[in-house]
mmCIF file of all heavy atoms in Angstrom:
data_model
loop_
_atom_site.group_PDB
_atom_site.id
_atom_site.type_symbol
_atom_site.label_atom_id
_atom_site.label_comp_id
_atom_site.label_asym_id
_atom_site.label_seq_id
_atom_site.Cartn_x
_atom_site.Cartn_y
_atom_site.Cartn_z
ATOM 1 N N PRO A 1 11.481 -19.988 4.706
ATOM 2 C CA PRO A 1 10.565 -19.621 3.646
ATOM 3 C C PRO A 1 9.987 -18.156 3.911
ATOM 4 O O PRO A 1 9.657 -17.864 5.088
ATOM 5 C CB PRO A 1 9.437 -20.618 3.749
ATOM 6 C CG PRO A 1 10.076 -21.799 4.473
ATOM 7 C CD PRO A 1 11.060 -21.208 5.403
ATOM 8 N N MET A 2 9.872 -17.404 2.876
ATOM 9 C CA MET A 2 9.420 -16.021 3.014
ATOM 10 C C MET A 2 8.718 -15.586 1.760
ATOM 11 O O MET A 2 8.760 -16.253 0.714
ATOM 12 C CB MET A 2 10.599 -15.087 3.327
ATOM 13 C CG MET A 2 11.568 -14.960 2.182
ATOM 14 S SD MET A 2 13.058 -14.045 2.659
ATOM 15 C CE MET A 2 13.858 -15.160 3.782
ATOM 16 N N ILE A 3 8.040 -14.484 1.842
ATOM 17 C CA ILE A 3 7.392 -13.834 0.685
ATOM 18 C C ILE A 3 8.213 -12.604 0.335
ATOM 19 O O ILE A 3 8.299 -11.685 1.202
ATOM 20 C CB ILE A 3 5.917 -13.533 0.912
ATOM 21 C CG1 ILE A 3 5.161 -14.759 1.321
ATOM 22 C CG2 ILE A 3 5.336 -12.836 -0.321
ATOM 23 C CD1 ILE A 3 5.017 -15.761 0.236
ATOM 24 N N LEU A 4 8.760 -12.551 -0.878
ATOM 25 C CA LEU A 4 9.461 -11.358 -1.343
ATOM 26 C C LEU A 4 8.397 -10.460 -1.934
ATOM 27 O O LEU A 4 7.745 -10.814 -2.909
ATOM 28 C CB LEU A 4 10.532 -11.684 -2.343
ATOM 29 C CG LEU A 4 11.579 -12.745 -1.914
ATOM 30 C CD1 LEU A 4 12.527 -13.078 -3.086
ATOM 31 C CD2 LEU A 4 12.388 -12.181 -0.753
ATOM 32 N N ARG A 5 8.225 -9.232 -1.366
ATOM 33 C CA ARG A 5 7.213 -8.306 -1.826
ATOM 34 C C ARG A 5 7.825 -7.034 -2.446
ATOM 35 O O ARG A 5 8.721 -6.437 -1.829
ATOM 36 C CB ARG A 5 6.311 -7.927 -0.642
ATOM 37 C CG ARG A 5 5.633 -9.158 0.042
ATOM 38 C CD ARG A 5 4.703 -8.716 1.147
ATOM 39 N NE ARG A 5 4.177 -9.857 1.881
ATOM 40 C CZ ARG A 5 3.222 -10.648 1.508
ATOM 41 N NH1 ARG A 5 2.575 -10.416 0.335
ATOM 42 N NH2 ARG A 5 2.823 -11.670 2.235
ATOM 43 N N PHE A 6 7.287 -6.667 -3.610
ATOM 44 C CA PHE A 6 7.771 -5.493 -4.319
ATOM 45 C C PHE A 6 6.597 -4.619 -4.724
ATOM 46 O O PHE A 6 5.548 -5.143 -5.055
ATOM 47 C CB PHE A 6 8.619 -5.913 -5.550
ATOM 48 C CG PHE A 6 9.771 -6.812 -5.254
ATOM 49 C CD1 PHE A 6 9.601 -8.207 -5.311
ATOM 50 C CD2 PHE A 6 11.002 -6.283 -4.907
ATOM 51 C CE1 PHE A 6 10.692 -9.054 -5.030
ATOM 52 C CE2 PHE A 6 12.060 -7.109 -4.675
ATOM 53 C CZ PHE A 6 11.908 -8.524 -4.719
ATOM 54 N N MET A 7 6.849 -3.294 -4.752
ATOM 55 C CA MET A 7 5.805 -2.357 -5.190
ATOM 56 C C MET A 7 6.395 -1.597 -6.378
ATOM 57 O O MET A 7 7.494 -1.020 -6.289
ATOM 58 C CB MET A 7 5.420 -1.392 -4.058
ATOM 59 C CG MET A 7 4.617 -0.248 -4.482
ATOM 60 S SD MET A 7 2.945 -0.742 -5.102
ATOM 61 C CE MET A 7 2.154 -1.052 -3.511
ATOM 62 N N VAL A 8 5.660 -1.574 -7.500
ATOM 63 C CA VAL A 8 6.057 -0.848 -8.693
ATOM 64 C C VAL A 8 5.291 0.463 -8.733
ATOM 65 O O VAL A 8 4.041 0.456 -8.653
ATOM 66 C CB VAL A 8 5.807 -1.662 -9.974
ATOM 67 C CG1 VAL A 8 6.282 -0.856 -11.195
ATOM 68 C CG2 VAL A 8 6.547 -3.037 -9.906
ATOM 69 N N GLN A 9 5.970 1.556 -8.877
ATOM 70 C CA GLN A 9 5.398 2.881 -8.837
ATOM 71 C C GLN A 9 5.751 3.664 -10.123
ATOM 72 O O GLN A 9 6.784 3.335 -10.739
ATOM 73 C CB GLN A 9 5.887 3.711 -7.633
ATOM 74 C CG GLN A 9 5.519 3.020 -6.308
ATOM 75 C CD GLN A 9 6.173 3.704 -5.132
ATOM 76 O OE1 GLN A 9 7.242 4.313 -5.247
ATOM 77 N NE2 GLN A 9 5.543 3.617 -3.957
ATOM 78 N N ASP A 10 4.929 4.616 -10.482
ATOM 79 C CA ASP A 10 5.226 5.446 -11.660
ATOM 80 C C ASP A 10 6.215 6.500 -11.308
ATOM 81 O O ASP A 10 6.725 6.558 -10.168
ATOM 82 C CB ASP A 10 3.945 5.990 -12.294
ATOM 83 C CG ASP A 10 3.193 6.916 -11.314
ATOM 84 O OD1 ASP A 10 3.800 7.393 -10.322
ATOM 85 O OD2 ASP A 10 2.011 7.190 -11.566
ATOM 86 N N GLN A 11 6.457 7.424 -12.268
ATOM 87 C CA GLN A 11 7.475 8.447 -12.043
ATOM 88 C C GLN A 11 7.082 9.412 -10.958
ATOM 89 O O GLN A 11 7.999 10.102 -10.387
ATOM 90 C CB GLN A 11 7.702 9.209 -13.383
ATOM 91 C CG GLN A 11 8.356 8.384 -14.493
ATOM 92 C CD GLN A 11 7.370 7.505 -15.240
ATOM 93 O OE1 GLN A 11 6.237 7.265 -14.791
ATOM 94 N NE2 GLN A 11 7.777 6.993 -16.418
ATOM 95 N N ASN A 12 5.847 9.459 -10.586
ATOM 96 C CA ASN A 12 5.383 10.357 -9.532
ATOM 97 C C ASN A 12 5.239 9.679 -8.174
ATOM 98 O O ASN A 12 4.760 10.254 -7.219
ATOM 99 C CB ASN A 12 4.039 10.953 -9.917
ATOM 100 C CG ASN A 12 4.140 11.761 -11.208
ATOM 101 O OD1 ASN A 12 5.085 12.550 -11.416
ATOM 102 N ND2 ASN A 12 3.198 11.619 -12.089
ATOM 103 N N GLY A 13 5.653 8.394 -8.102
ATOM 104 C CA GLY A 13 5.644 7.694 -6.830
ATOM 105 C C GLY A 13 4.271 7.073 -6.541
ATOM 106 O O GLY A 13 4.020 6.574 -5.436
ATOM 107 N N ARG A 14 3.346 7.073 -7.520
ATOM 108 C CA ARG A 14 2.035 6.470 -7.289
ATOM 109 C C ARG A 14 2.062 4.978 -7.835
ATOM 110 O O ARG A 14 2.873 4.687 -8.721
ATOM 111 C CB ARG A 14 0.978 7.247 -8.033
ATOM 112 C CG ARG A 14 0.689 8.626 -7.428
ATOM 113 C CD ARG A 14 -0.515 9.265 -8.070
ATOM 114 N NE ARG A 14 -0.261 9.535 -9.481
ATOM 115 C CZ ARG A 14 0.139 10.717 -9.936
ATOM 116 N NH1 ARG A 14 0.339 11.733 -9.129
ATOM 117 N NH2 ARG A 14 0.308 10.923 -11.231
ATOM 118 N N PRO A 15 1.249 4.148 -7.284
ATOM 119 C CA PRO A 15 1.210 2.746 -7.793
ATOM 120 C C PRO A 15 0.981 2.695 -9.309
ATOM 121 O O PRO A 15 0.071 3.364 -9.782
ATOM 122 C CB PRO A 15 0.038 2.078 -7.010
ATOM 123 C CG PRO A 15 -0.030 2.899 -5.751
ATOM 124 C CD PRO A 15 0.352 4.310 -6.154
ATOM 125 N N ALA A 16 1.843 1.945 -9.988
ATOM 126 C CA ALA A 16 1.730 1.878 -11.464
ATOM 127 C C ALA A 16 0.453 1.148 -11.868
ATOM 128 O O ALA A 16 0.075 0.151 -11.288
ATOM 129 C CB ALA A 16 2.952 1.148 -12.041
ATOM 130 N N THR A 17 -0.220 1.750 -12.838
ATOM 131 C CA THR A 17 -1.521 1.182 -13.324
ATOM 132 C C THR A 17 -1.411 0.545 -14.713
ATOM 133 O O THR A 17 -2.454 0.136 -15.259
ATOM 134 C CB THR A 17 -2.577 2.268 -13.352
ATOM 135 O OG1 THR A 17 -2.163 3.304 -14.206
ATOM 136 C CG2 THR A 17 -2.801 2.808 -11.929
ATOM 137 N N ASP A 18 -0.181 0.515 -15.272
ATOM 138 C CA ASP A 18 -0.047 0.015 -16.647
ATOM 139 C C ASP A 18 0.817 -1.236 -16.720
ATOM 140 O O ASP A 18 1.456 -1.474 -17.748
ATOM 141 C CB ASP A 18 0.548 1.133 -17.553
ATOM 142 C CG ASP A 18 1.800 1.731 -16.974
ATOM 143 O OD1 ASP A 18 2.234 1.323 -15.870
ATOM 144 O OD2 ASP A 18 2.400 2.619 -17.647
ATOM 145 N N LEU A 19 0.859 -2.046 -15.664
ATOM 146 C CA LEU A 19 1.609 -3.290 -15.730
ATOM 147 C C LEU A 19 0.882 -4.328 -16.503
ATOM 148 O O LEU A 19 -0.368 -4.410 -16.462
ATOM 149 C CB LEU A 19 1.921 -3.821 -14.297
ATOM 150 C CG LEU A 19 3.282 -3.402 -13.711
ATOM 151 C CD1 LEU A 19 3.314 -1.924 -13.437
ATOM 152 C CD2 LEU A 19 3.496 -4.161 -12.407
ATOM 153 N N GLU A 20 1.653 -5.119 -17.285
ATOM 154 C CA GLU A 20 1.042 -6.185 -18.073
ATOM 155 C C GLU A 20 1.682 -7.513 -17.754
ATOM 156 O O GLU A 20 2.786 -7.546 -17.206
ATOM 157 C CB GLU A 20 1.274 -5.812 -19.583
ATOM 158 C CG GLU A 20 0.782 -4.502 -20.049
ATOM 159 C CD GLU A 20 1.285 -4.166 -21.404
ATOM 160 O OE1 GLU A 20 1.888 -5.008 -22.044
ATOM 161 O OE2 GLU A 20 1.097 -2.980 -21.836
ATOM 162 N N PRO A 21 0.991 -8.607 -18.035
ATOM 163 C CA PRO A 21 1.631 -9.901 -17.818
ATOM 164 C C PRO A 21 2.909 -10.039 -18.676
ATOM 165 O O PRO A 21 2.934 -9.665 -19.843
ATOM 166 C CB PRO A 21 0.578 -10.908 -18.262
ATOM 167 C CG PRO A 21 -0.734 -10.157 -18.166
ATOM 168 C CD PRO A 21 -0.380 -8.706 -18.512
ATOM 169 N N TYR A 22 3.974 -10.572 -18.058
ATOM 170 C CA TYR A 22 5.175 -10.869 -18.782
ATOM 171 C C TYR A 22 5.339 -12.377 -18.894
ATOM 172 O O TYR A 22 5.586 -13.074 -17.870
ATOM 173 C CB TYR A 22 6.391 -10.220 -18.008
ATOM 174 C CG TYR A 22 7.755 -10.557 -18.567
ATOM 175 C CD1 TYR A 22 7.909 -10.661 -19.955
ATOM 176 C CD2 TYR A 22 8.826 -10.685 -17.755
ATOM 177 C CE1 TYR A 22 9.184 -10.908 -20.502
ATOM 178 C CE2 TYR A 22 10.105 -10.940 -18.279
ATOM 179 C CZ TYR A 22 10.266 -11.063 -19.676
ATOM 180 O OH TYR A 22 11.533 -11.336 -20.187
ATOM 181 N N MET A 23 5.151 -12.903 -20.037
ATOM 182 C CA MET A 23 5.125 -14.368 -20.274
ATOM 183 C C MET A 23 4.182 -15.072 -19.328
ATOM 184 O O MET A 23 4.488 -16.090 -18.747
ATOM 185 C CB MET A 23 6.552 -14.927 -20.151
ATOM 186 C CG MET A 23 7.428 -14.548 -21.312
ATOM 187 S SD MET A 23 9.071 -15.360 -21.250
ATOM 188 C CE MET A 23 9.785 -14.539 -19.842
ATOM 189 N N GLY A 24 2.948 -14.483 -19.235
ATOM 190 C CA GLY A 24 1.909 -15.153 -18.468
ATOM 191 C C GLY A 24 1.942 -14.966 -16.967
ATOM 192 O O GLY A 24 1.143 -15.475 -16.220
ATOM 193 N N MET A 25 2.948 -14.179 -16.461
ATOM 194 C CA MET A 25 3.071 -13.959 -15.022
ATOM 195 C C MET A 25 3.189 -12.477 -14.733
ATOM 196 O O MET A 25 3.517 -11.661 -15.601
ATOM 197 C CB MET A 25 4.358 -14.667 -14.511
ATOM 198 C CG MET A 25 4.413 -16.170 -14.829
ATOM 199 S SD MET A 25 3.105 -17.142 -14.126
ATOM 200 C CE MET A 25 3.571 -17.127 -12.411
ATOM 201 N N ALA A 26 2.915 -12.133 -13.491
ATOM 202 C CA ALA A 26 3.044 -10.692 -13.087
ATOM 203 C C ALA A 26 4.534 -10.260 -13.193
ATOM 204 O O ALA A 26 4.766 -9.113 -13.474
ATOM 205 C CB ALA A 26 2.501 -10.508 -11.669
ATOM 206 N N ALA A 27 5.417 -11.139 -12.977
ATOM 207 C CA ALA A 27 6.863 -10.829 -13.020
ATOM 208 C C ALA A 27 7.654 -12.119 -12.985
ATOM 209 O O ALA A 27 7.153 -13.213 -12.674
ATOM 210 C CB ALA A 27 7.237 -9.918 -11.846
ATOM 211 N N HIS A 28 8.941 -11.990 -13.286
ATOM 212 C CA HIS A 28 9.915 -13.055 -13.158
ATOM 213 C C HIS A 28 11.064 -12.511 -12.327
ATOM 214 O O HIS A 28 11.342 -11.320 -12.364
ATOM 215 C CB HIS A 28 10.437 -13.539 -14.523
ATOM 216 C CG HIS A 28 9.403 -14.153 -15.381
ATOM 217 N ND1 HIS A 28 9.481 -15.495 -15.769
ATOM 218 C CD2 HIS A 28 8.287 -13.681 -15.899
ATOM 219 C CE1 HIS A 28 8.423 -15.810 -16.549
ATOM 220 N NE2 HIS A 28 7.668 -14.689 -16.627
ATOM 221 N N ALA A 29 11.750 -13.386 -11.607
ATOM 222 C CA ALA A 29 12.937 -12.971 -10.844
ATOM 223 C C ALA A 29 14.026 -13.996 -10.925
ATOM 224 O O ALA A 29 13.720 -15.207 -10.924
ATOM 225 C CB ALA A 29 12.555 -12.671 -9.363
ATOM 226 N N GLU A 30 15.235 -13.539 -11.067
ATOM 227 C CA GLU A 30 16.383 -14.392 -11.024
ATOM 228 C C GLU A 30 17.202 -14.061 -9.785
ATOM 229 O O GLU A 30 17.598 -12.897 -9.574
ATOM 230 C CB GLU A 30 17.271 -14.218 -12.283
ATOM 231 C CG GLU A 30 16.566 -14.612 -13.578
ATOM 232 C CD GLU A 30 15.569 -13.584 -14.078
ATOM 233 O OE1 GLU A 30 15.896 -12.390 -14.113
ATOM 234 O OE2 GLU A 30 14.400 -13.994 -14.398
ATOM 235 N N ILE A 31 17.470 -15.069 -8.969
ATOM 236 C CA ILE A 31 18.195 -14.907 -7.717
ATOM 237 C C ILE A 31 19.518 -15.653 -7.848
ATOM 238 O O ILE A 31 19.581 -16.799 -8.114
ATOM 239 C CB ILE A 31 17.369 -15.413 -6.553
ATOM 240 C CG1 ILE A 31 16.035 -14.631 -6.451
ATOM 241 C CG2 ILE A 31 18.156 -15.315 -5.229
ATOM 242 C CD1 ILE A 31 15.118 -15.208 -5.365
ATOM 243 N N ILE A 32 20.612 -14.905 -7.612
ATOM 244 C CA ILE A 32 21.959 -15.452 -7.827
ATOM 245 C C ILE A 32 22.831 -15.096 -6.649
ATOM 246 O O ILE A 32 22.888 -13.938 -6.214
ATOM 247 C CB ILE A 32 22.610 -14.856 -9.100
ATOM 248 C CG1 ILE A 32 21.681 -15.029 -10.319
ATOM 249 C CG2 ILE A 32 23.933 -15.566 -9.398
ATOM 250 C CD1 ILE A 32 22.151 -14.364 -11.546
ATOM 251 N N ARG A 33 23.487 -16.073 -6.100
ATOM 252 C CA ARG A 33 24.464 -15.841 -5.015
ATOM 253 C C ARG A 33 25.727 -15.303 -5.648
ATOM 254 O O ARG A 33 26.042 -15.574 -6.792
ATOM 255 C CB ARG A 33 24.743 -17.137 -4.275
ATOM 256 C CG ARG A 33 25.416 -16.974 -2.894
ATOM 257 C CD ARG A 33 25.446 -18.249 -2.126
ATOM 258 N NE ARG A 33 25.971 -18.145 -0.809
ATOM 259 C CZ ARG A 33 27.268 -18.405 -0.478
ATOM 260 N NH1 ARG A 33 28.079 -18.816 -1.428
ATOM 261 N NH2 ARG A 33 27.687 -18.218 0.785
ATOM 262 N N SER A 34 26.421 -14.445 -4.888
ATOM 263 C CA SER A 34 27.539 -13.754 -5.474
ATOM 264 C C SER A 34 28.630 -14.674 -6.031
ATOM 265 O O SER A 34 29.327 -14.312 -6.977
ATOM 266 C CB SER A 34 28.214 -12.830 -4.391
ATOM 267 O OG SER A 34 28.623 -13.551 -3.261
ATOM 268 N N ASP A 35 28.754 -15.892 -5.488
ATOM 269 C CA ASP A 35 29.745 -16.830 -5.998
ATOM 270 C C ASP A 35 29.144 -17.785 -7.029
ATOM 271 O O ASP A 35 29.807 -18.737 -7.460
ATOM 272 C CB ASP A 35 30.373 -17.665 -4.856
ATOM 273 C CG ASP A 35 29.361 -18.490 -4.101
ATOM 274 O OD1 ASP A 35 28.126 -18.432 -4.427
ATOM 275 O OD2 ASP A 35 29.747 -19.247 -3.208
ATOM 276 N N ARG A 36 27.891 -17.516 -7.467
ATOM 277 C CA ARG A 36 27.134 -18.293 -8.473
ATOM 278 C C ARG A 36 26.906 -19.732 -8.058
ATOM 279 O O ARG A 36 26.551 -20.582 -8.863
ATOM 280 C CB ARG A 36 27.881 -18.266 -9.820
ATOM 281 C CG ARG A 36 27.650 -16.981 -10.599
ATOM 282 C CD ARG A 36 28.720 -15.972 -10.248
ATOM 283 N NE ARG A 36 30.027 -16.418 -10.694
ATOM 284 C CZ ARG A 36 31.154 -15.988 -10.227
ATOM 285 N NH1 ARG A 36 31.183 -15.157 -9.194
ATOM 286 N NH2 ARG A 36 32.299 -16.400 -10.712
ATOM 287 N N SER A 37 27.023 -20.032 -6.770
ATOM 288 C CA SER A 37 26.696 -21.414 -6.311
ATOM 289 C C SER A 37 25.181 -21.598 -6.210
ATOM 290 O O SER A 37 24.745 -22.742 -6.042
ATOM 291 C CB SER A 37 27.336 -21.661 -4.939
ATOM 292 O OG SER A 37 26.859 -20.782 -3.967
ATOM 293 N N VAL A 38 24.428 -20.508 -6.247
ATOM 294 C CA VAL A 38 22.932 -20.578 -6.204
ATOM 295 C C VAL A 38 22.386 -19.766 -7.376
ATOM 296 O O VAL A 38 22.796 -18.595 -7.584
ATOM 297 C CB VAL A 38 22.401 -20.044 -4.904
ATOM 298 C CG1 VAL A 38 20.891 -19.998 -4.917
ATOM 299 C CG2 VAL A 38 22.847 -20.881 -3.699
ATOM 300 N N PHE A 39 21.489 -20.415 -8.145
ATOM 301 C CA PHE A 39 20.729 -19.702 -9.160
ATOM 302 C C PHE A 39 19.314 -20.258 -9.143
ATOM 303 O O PHE A 39 19.064 -21.402 -9.137
ATOM 304 C CB PHE A 39 21.314 -19.997 -10.564
ATOM 305 C CG PHE A 39 20.435 -19.413 -11.667
ATOM 306 C CD1 PHE A 39 20.502 -18.056 -12.043
ATOM 307 C CD2 PHE A 39 19.526 -20.229 -12.258
ATOM 308 C CE1 PHE A 39 19.672 -17.589 -13.013
ATOM 309 C CE2 PHE A 39 18.697 -19.754 -13.290
ATOM 310 C CZ PHE A 39 18.762 -18.385 -13.661
#
């Protein structure tokens, strides 16, 4: 078990200040193994 951590920055490399909820969440992620045995 781990925490996947991401930082979103603007075009100047500063932390983005205009992020909005996407379908009620800060973000969504899809994780797929190369042979598609995991989704």
Side-chain angles (χ1 to χ4, degrees):
M2 66 187 70
I3 302 292
L4 304 176
R5 303 184 187 279
F6 303 92
M7 170 64 77
V8 181
Q9 301 171 330
D10 62 18
Q11 292 82 345
N12 299 315
R14 292 188 294 266
T17 59
D18 52 359
L19 266 66
E20 305 169 8
Y22 177 34
M23 289 185 289
M25 305 298 288
H28 294 244
E30 295 78 47
I31 299 176
I32 309 173
R33 196 169 185 264
S34 59
D35 62 357
R36 283 88 67 203
S37 63
V38 174
F39 172 84

